[in-house]
Amino acid sequence: MDVHHLVSMANDIAAFFDSEPDKSAAVEGVRFHISRYWELRMRRAIIEHLQRGGEGLSPTARSAIEKLTPVG
Amino acid sequence: MFAKDYHDLGTPAGKGESVTLDIDGATVTVPAGTSIMRAAALADRDVPKLCATDTLKHFGSCRVCLVEIEGRKGFPASCTTEVAPGMKVRTQSEALTKMRRGVLELYVSEHPMGSCPDSSRCELEHLAEQHGIGESRYAGPKTARHVHTPKPVDHSNPYFRFDNDLCIVCSRCVRACEETQGTFALTIEGRGLDSRVVASENQPFLESECVSCGACIEACPTGALMEKSVLTAGLPQQAVTTTCAYCGVGCSLVAEVTDGAVSRMVPNRNGRANQGHACVKGRFAYGYATHADRVTKPLIRKSITDEWTEVSWEEAINHAASEFKRIQAKYGKDSIGGITSSRCTNEETFLVQKLVRAAFGTNNVDTCARVCHSPTGYGLKHTLGESAGTQEFVSVQSADVIMVIGASPTEAHPVFASQMKRRLRAGAKLIVVDPRAIPLVKSPHVEADYHLRLMPGTNVAVINALAHVVVTEGLTRDDYIAERCDRDSYEKWKKFVAEPVNSPEAMEPITGVKAELIRGAARLYAKGPNGAIYYGLGVTEHSQGSTMVMGIANLAMATGNLGREGVGVSPLRGQNNVQGSCDMGSFPHEFSGYRHVADDSVRATFESMWKVPLSAEQGLRLPNMFEAALDGSFRGMYIQGEDLAQSDPNTSHVTAALASLECLVIQDIFHNETAKFAHVFLPGTSFLEKDGTFTNAERRISRVRKVIEPLCGYADWEVTMLLSNALGYPMNYRHPSEIMDEIAALTPTFTGVTYEKIDRLGSIQWPCNEKAPEGTPTMHVGTFVRGKGKFYVTAYVPTNERTTSKYPLLLTTGRILSQYNVGAQTRRTANLAWHSEDRLEIHPHDAEARGIEPGDWVGVTSRAGDTVLRVEITERVAPGVVYTTFHFPESGANLITTDNSDWATNCPEYKVTAVQVVKVAQPAAWQRRRQSAVPASPRRRRAPADNPA
């Protein structure tokens, strides 16, 4: 998976939820969305990217990915 | 016009309280407002008629429908006289017969008996024969109009001809063009014996404003307007009612068959979606189904650089199955997937997603709706609770204010557009939200009250500005919201849209729309009282497509415009079965009925019926499949009925992904762009060969009935079964109705659907279950499907696709009436007479600045790629905006669209691409090669087991 593309996708999702006044709700919105719509290898790739520093991720996207359930 | 098995009642239905009267001694009860003609016909006492037909308002010109009414003087026309309580009517008497004979004789003087090429279809000749008229005493050169003012037959239209000599000037065609189609292309020119029907300014039909919908032919009582196919084929021996395979209106059509071939396609007058109307595609452009380009034999090849080899079905299926097994054994079960098609039936689609989930053992299934209306499913499900439009088409007749956003119904959904225009002519107000001056903005007797001509990519800014006006000017329906909507989400949304940043004035520099227009449009919509929103791909195909759908739902809820006739949020679906393909569980995260694969109880019901463990992990979406193909983790695909290489954005990215696959199996009726990357080609069937159901934009499930046998020997669902069985997962359906029975057993919104019920009712709008045994025309009545309607905060986020000095113009895309989608069907019909190439529309200012003249070739370059198109200079587009259709592969429109996509669904952002346009001398080299290319025939090999019987 092209991780730059995944970063861009995660940031786009975060941009929608960023209009949520409650920041924890925004993070949960992003986490829930990714966990419900992203296929396993996409989730795995974005988690690995975060573990490598998460370059390019917006703060909300980063916080959400930190809360994603680890995948094997 | 003669219509097999149709009883024409003469005038439209009345709508008032019941009225009882006596007609020829029979007691008849009909609604007030019904004509005597219709009441008599309902009592099987048909009154002769010529200028009347039940699809048009009464006209009262032909004088053959006269009747006697007790207590009234004279002989009133039964078409123009309404029923009254206690009225006593005589439809037959010596005096009436004498008068009718006299009138008919005059008509026959101008239309001699036997002059129609097919007299059995001529209402006049039928009637004259019934009245014992052979020849007219008045016939002769002094009275015969066609002798008096001869006019050549107009053969200009590729599908029908007009023979003035056979015309009786009853005006049915003129009125059909006005009332049914709403184009006003026909008129009566001259007076007395000189009067005759003409198109536009007395032009040939093809050059006139005529849109070739066929309404005039349907209305014509003689053979004056007649399909050319009928003239050569003769009387039909069979008539099959089926459903159109073009746009999401889903017109019910009657296919007439002569000697095993379709000789005529007519709109079904009982069709609930189309109400007896059709368009140039559905009515005439069916010839592709038997085009010489059809692939009817299975083909395989080892490499995409090899020639195709024709093989038996058994060999093709076994090869595909063994390749898929090999790939899964080497790379894992999630290394393959499948794509369902919105051009295939519900049953075919359901079976493909079942094949992927049960036989492949993965949820890597997606559908072409990914690239069009997936944001509709997401947005409406989250706000209202169901992934579908809320209304039936007839609801538009109760709308007071119609808002059309990002859609051009007259071009892409023409039959519904005619219904909409009828309502607009009756007084409804119109708001158009579109970067382009679509035909609805100003057309005969229709003019938009507001045209919000926004810059592409600023939909959400506009919907928020509209909502800002509604909220800050106290136009919300607070009682409705308090009763039906989630209070917390409403308060949050209300506070958000009321912020000054969302005001029309603040948004004006972004949207390009004058603030006062936004304010006026918002007030108009909110005050309705019935405000109805119709939208298309101009809403969904954006990086904020889902946000915009939610914004539309927010606005409708805030103004109380959901849950009854005349209001609602209605997505106009692009292809015939977009709704159905989504309903059938084609998305990688959902089973049929939009239920997530991670839901254990839902998954258990499927596992129980399918007798196989199913994955709880959502699969790859279509664009993600391309990404995975490029990284090597996705190696095989089964694509039914879709041309991804032409229809998906950023062609070079898509083709690189397709070329990387180890096994691509496509099932289609033609060699398409995607086939260039395929290893197995399985012939598919056209809608004329299908047996099943389509679901249109109103959630209406209609039967698709087989008109001709599959040219390739197998129905598509049978081919999917063969593949599944070869993979080791048994499927043994004997008829598509058995597949529908399984769908009903597994899908709560379909539990009441059976073929028997569809046949009995004509069609069914889901949900159809215990709560709604005969279906649901209007959704969210009383309460929303999700319970309380939920508002979402929809902040405007500009797209990443920005104009720069290098790419200063914004390209947006759309459709034209005569062509359909990627053109695979319509390009193989005479519809080319209207549109034979895609053109780039550019504003005169932008053209002048670049030295571009009308008809020049221009190079169009984006960040993704470049192509060459011929230019059309027009003010339909605003300065800074260019537009093209994408019906022809040689246009390469998707070479320039980018892979930006909707944040929620990955629906591509087709509608916004920053480009530069420059004058060039000729098309690109690849385009010239393509235009001159002759398709290569496959190498043939003996096929020993090629008998599918």
Side-chain angles (χ1 to χ4, degrees), chain B residues 573-609:
Chain B
R573 307 287 190 160
Q575 299 201 63
N576 49 317
N577 204 33
V578 171
Q579 182 69 57
S581 70
C582 298
D583 300 341
M584 292 299 101
S586 294
F587 288 133
H589 64 288
E590 288 174 333
F591 290 116
S592 59
Y594 305 100
R595 293 160 300 156
H596 203 280
V597 294
D599 185 323
D600 291 341
S601 62
V602 172
R603 203 171 60 257
T605 63
F606 281 83
E607 288 176 333
S608 172
M609 183 163 278

Coordinates of all heavy atoms in Angstrom, one line a residue, chain B residues 573-609:
Chain B
R573 N -30.0 8.4 -9.8 CA -28.9 7.4 -10.0 C -28.5 7.4 -11.5 O -29.4 7.3 -12.4 CB -29.4 6.0 -9.6 CG -30.0 6.0 -8.2 CD -28.8 6.1 -7.1 NE -29.3 5.8 -5.8 CZ -28.6 5.5 -4.8 NH1 -27.3 5.3 -4.9 NH2 -29.1 5.3 -3.6
G574 N -27.2 7.2 -11.7 CA -26.7 7.3 -13.1 C -27.1 6.1 -13.9 O -27.5 6.2 -15.0
Q575 N -26.8 4.9 -13.4 CA -27.1 3.7 -14.1 C -28.3 3.0 -13.6 O -28.8 3.3 -12.5 CB -25.9 2.7 -14.0 CG -24.6 3.4 -14.6 CD -23.6 2.3 -15.0 OE1 -23.8 1.5 -15.9 NE2 -22.4 2.4 -14.3
N576 N -28.8 2.1 -14.5 CA -30.1 1.5 -14.2 C -30.3 0.8 -12.9 O -31.3 0.8 -12.3 CB -30.5 0.5 -15.4 CG -29.3 -0.5 -15.6 OD1 -28.2 0.0 -15.7 ND2 -29.6 -1.7 -15.8
N577 N -29.2 0.1 -12.4 CA -29.3 -0.6 -11.2 C -28.3 -0.2 -10.2 O -27.8 -1.1 -9.4 CB -29.2 -2.1 -11.5 CG -29.9 -3.0 -10.5 OD1 -30.9 -2.5 -9.9 ND2 -29.4 -4.1 -10.2
V578 N -28.0 1.0 -10.1 CA -27.0 1.5 -9.0 C -27.7 1.2 -7.7 O -27.0 0.7 -6.8 CB -26.8 3.0 -9.2 CG1 -26.0 3.5 -8.0 CG2 -26.0 3.3 -10.4
Q579 N -28.9 1.6 -7.5 CA -29.6 1.3 -6.2 C -29.5 -0.1 -5.9 O -29.2 -0.5 -4.8 CB -31.0 1.8 -6.3 CG -31.8 1.7 -4.9 CD -31.2 2.6 -3.9 OE1 -31.2 3.8 -4.0 NE2 -30.8 2.0 -2.8
G580 N -29.9 -1.0 -6.9 CA -30.0 -2.4 -6.7 C -28.6 -3.0 -6.4 O -28.5 -3.8 -5.4
S581 N -27.6 -2.6 -7.1 CA -26.3 -3.2 -6.8 C -25.8 -2.9 -5.4 O -25.1 -3.7 -4.8 CB -25.3 -2.7 -7.9 OG -24.9 -1.4 -7.7
C582 N -26.1 -1.7 -5.0 CA -25.8 -1.3 -3.6 C -26.6 -2.1 -2.6 O -26.1 -2.6 -1.6 CB -26.0 0.2 -3.3 SG -24.9 1.2 -4.4
D583 N -27.9 -2.2 -2.9 CA -28.8 -3.0 -2.0 C -28.3 -4.4 -1.8 O -28.6 -5.0 -0.7 CB -30.2 -3.0 -2.5 CG -30.8 -1.7 -2.7 OD1 -30.4 -0.7 -2.1 OD2 -31.8 -1.6 -3.5
M584 N -27.7 -5.0 -2.9 CA -27.4 -6.4 -2.9 C -26.2 -6.8 -2.2 O -25.7 -7.9 -2.3 CB -27.4 -6.9 -4.3 CG -28.7 -6.9 -5.1 SD -29.9 -7.9 -4.3 CE -31.0 -6.8 -3.4
G585 N -25.6 -5.9 -1.4 CA -24.4 -6.3 -0.7 C -23.1 -6.2 -1.5 O -22.2 -7.0 -1.3
S586 N -23.0 -5.3 -2.4 CA -21.8 -5.2 -3.3 C -20.7 -4.5 -2.6 O -19.6 -4.5 -3.1 CB -22.2 -4.5 -4.6 OG -23.1 -5.2 -5.3
F587 N -20.9 -3.7 -1.6 CA -19.8 -3.0 -0.9 C -19.0 -4.0 0.0 O -19.6 -4.9 0.6 CB -20.3 -1.8 -0.1 CG -20.9 -0.7 -1.0 CD1 -22.1 -0.1 -0.7 CD2 -20.1 -0.2 -2.0 CE1 -22.5 0.9 -1.5 CE2 -20.6 0.8 -2.8 CZ -21.8 1.4 -2.6
P588 N -17.7 -3.7 0.1 CA -16.9 -4.7 0.8 C -17.1 -4.8 2.3 O -16.7 -5.7 3.0 CB -15.4 -4.2 0.6 CG -15.6 -2.8 0.2 CD -16.9 -2.6 -0.5
H589 N -17.9 -3.8 2.9 CA -18.1 -3.8 4.3 C -19.5 -4.2 4.7 O -19.9 -4.3 5.8 CB -17.8 -2.5 4.9 CG -18.7 -1.4 4.4 ND1 -18.6 -0.9 3.2 CD2 -19.7 -0.7 5.0 CE1 -19.5 0.1 3.0 NE2 -20.2 0.2 4.1
E590 N -20.4 -4.5 3.6 CA -21.8 -4.7 3.9 C -22.4 -5.9 3.2 O -22.1 -6.1 2.0 CB -22.6 -3.4 3.5 CG -22.4 -2.2 4.3 CD -23.1 -1.0 3.8 OE1 -23.3 -0.9 2.5 OE2 -23.4 -0.1 4.5
F591 N -23.2 -6.6 3.9 CA -24.1 -7.6 3.3 C -25.3 -6.9 2.7 O -25.5 -5.7 2.9 CB -24.5 -8.6 4.3 CG -23.5 -9.5 4.8 CD1 -23.1 -9.5 6.2 CD2 -22.8 -10.4 4.0 CE1 -22.1 -10.3 6.7 CE2 -21.9 -11.3 4.5 CZ -21.5 -11.2 5.8
S592 N -26.1 -7.6 2.0 CA -27.3 -7.0 1.4 C -28.1 -6.4 2.5 O -28.2 -6.8 3.7 CB -28.2 -8.1 0.7 OG -28.5 -9.1 1.7
G593 N -28.8 -5.3 2.2 CA -29.5 -4.5 3.2 C -28.7 -3.6 4.0 O -29.1 -3.1 5.1
Y594 N -27.4 -3.4 3.6 CA -26.5 -2.4 4.3 C -26.2 -2.8 5.7 O -26.3 -1.9 6.6 CB -27.1 -1.0 4.2 CG -27.5 -0.6 2.7 CD1 -28.7 -0.7 2.2 CD2 -26.5 -0.1 1.9 CE1 -29.0 -0.3 0.9 CE2 -26.7 0.2 0.6 CZ -28.0 0.1 0.1 OH -28.3 0.4 -1.2
R595 N -25.8 -4.0 5.9 CA -25.5 -4.4 7.3 C -24.0 -4.9 7.3 O -23.6 -5.7 6.5 CB -26.4 -5.6 7.7 CG -27.8 -5.0 7.9 CD -28.8 -6.2 7.8 NE -28.8 -6.9 6.6 CZ -29.2 -8.1 6.4 NH1 -29.7 -8.8 7.4 NH2 -29.1 -8.7 5.2
H596 N -23.3 -4.4 8.3 CA -21.8 -4.5 8.3 C -21.4 -6.0 8.5 O -22.0 -6.7 9.3 CB -21.2 -3.6 9.4 CG -19.8 -3.3 9.2 ND1 -18.8 -4.2 9.5 CD2 -19.2 -2.2 8.7 CE1 -17.6 -3.6 9.2 NE2 -17.8 -2.4 8.7
V597 N -20.3 -6.3 7.8 CA -19.9 -7.7 7.9 C -19.4 -8.1 9.3 O -19.3 -9.3 9.6 CB -18.8 -8.0 6.9 CG1 -19.3 -7.9 5.4 CG2 -17.6 -7.1 7.0
A598 N -19.0 -7.1 10.1 CA -18.5 -7.4 11.4 C -19.6 -7.7 12.4 O -19.4 -8.1 13.6 CB -17.7 -6.2 11.9
D599 N -20.9 -7.5 12.0 CA -22.0 -7.7 12.9 C -22.2 -9.3 13.0 O -22.6 -9.9 12.0 CB -23.3 -7.0 12.3 CG -24.5 -7.2 13.2 OD1 -24.6 -8.3 13.8 OD2 -25.3 -6.2 13.3
D600 N -21.9 -9.8 14.1 CA -21.9 -11.3 14.3 C -23.3 -11.9 14.0 O -23.4 -13.0 13.3 CB -21.5 -11.6 15.7 CG -20.0 -11.3 16.0 OD1 -19.3 -11.2 15.0 OD2 -19.6 -11.2 17.1
S601 N -24.4 -11.3 14.4 CA -25.7 -11.9 14.2 C -26.1 -11.9 12.7 O -26.6 -12.8 12.2 CB -26.7 -11.2 15.1 OG -26.9 -9.8 14.7
V602 N -25.7 -10.8 12.1 CA -26.0 -10.7 10.6 C -25.2 -11.8 9.9 O -25.7 -12.5 9.1 CB -25.7 -9.3 10.1 CG1 -25.9 -9.3 8.6 CG2 -26.7 -8.3 10.7
R603 N -23.9 -11.8 10.2 CA -23.0 -12.7 9.5 C -23.5 -14.2 9.7 O -23.4 -15.0 8.8 CB -21.6 -12.5 10.0 CG -20.6 -13.0 9.0 CD -19.2 -12.6 9.3 NE -18.7 -13.1 10.6 CZ -18.7 -12.4 11.8 NH1 -19.0 -11.2 11.8 NH2 -18.3 -13.0 12.9
A604 N -24.0 -14.4 10.9 CA -24.4 -15.8 11.3 C -25.6 -16.2 10.4 O -25.7 -17.4 10.0 CB -24.8 -15.9 12.7
T605 N -26.5 -15.3 10.0 CA -27.6 -15.7 9.2 C -27.1 -16.1 7.8 O -27.7 -17.0 7.2 CB -28.7 -14.5 9.1 OG1 -28.1 -13.4 8.4 CG2 -29.2 -14.1 10.4
F606 N -26.1 -15.3 7.3 CA -25.6 -15.7 6.0 C -24.8 -17.0 6.0 O -24.9 -17.8 5.1 CB -24.7 -14.5 5.5 CG -25.5 -13.3 4.9 CD1 -26.0 -12.4 5.8 CD2 -25.7 -13.2 3.6 CE1 -26.7 -11.3 5.2 CE2 -26.4 -12.2 3.0 CZ -27.0 -11.2 3.9
E607 N -24.0 -17.2 7.1 CA -23.3 -18.4 7.2 C -24.2 -19.6 7.3 O -23.9 -20.7 6.7 CB -22.4 -18.3 8.5 CG -21.2 -17.3 8.3 CD -20.4 -17.2 9.5 OE1 -20.9 -17.4 10.7 OE2 -19.2 -16.8 9.4
S608 N -25.3 -19.4 8.0 CA -26.2 -20.5 8.1 C -26.8 -20.9 6.8 O -27.0 -22.1 6.4 CB -27.4 -20.1 9.1 OG -28.4 -21.0 9.1
M609 N -27.2 -19.9 6.0 CA -27.8 -20.2 4.7 C -26.8 -20.6 3.7 O -27.1 -21.5 2.8 CB -28.6 -19.0 4.2 CG -29.4 -19.3 2.9 SD -30.7 -18.2 2.5 CE -32.0 -18.8 3.5

